[in-house]
Amino acid sequence: MEIRFPVYEKGIIETLKAGDWLKVSGTVYTLRDIAHQRLIREIESEGEIPEYLIGGCIFYAGPAMTGSGRLTAIG
């Protein structure tokens, strides 16, 4: 499936399930741990998702464990 962000068509995101392969294009925000914490605080204080994220995509690009148990950067 191919998806271009931001997505304005209703129902497309709801059809996705874990393990689906996607070709993603458009605006994709890349966040790491602290940015996620800031976003959560903003949503809690404002009571809503920031307008620029509606229909958008967040890619988590943080450290991940390797097979040897060491951390490595991904993304």
Side-chain angles (χ1 to χ4, degrees):
M1 174 182 269
E2 192 169 330
I3 295 182
R4 178 163 180 78
F5 290 98
V7 174
Y8 295 110
E9 293 178 49
K10 297 211 181 268
I12 290 177
I13 300 300
E14 291 80 6
T15 67
L16 300 175
K17 59 187 181 307
D20 283 352
W21 283 82
L22 301 174
K23 180 179 179 182
V24 176
S25 63
T27 303
V28 177
Y29 297 95
T30 304
L31 303 180
R32 292 227 16 210
D33 310 19
I34 298 211
H36 281 281
Q37 292 171 3
R38 289 179 184 164
L39 178 59
I40 289 167
R41 282 196 302 269
E42 182 178 347
I43 292 169
E44 289 173 345
S45 70
E46 298 296 322
E48 59 189 20
I49 296 172
E51 177 114 9
Y52 66 89
L53 283 179
I54 294 174
C57 178
I58 297 175
F59 175 76
Y60 176 75
M65 293 301 250
T66 65
S68 65
R70 296 183 318 188
L71 288 177
T72 185
I74 63 171

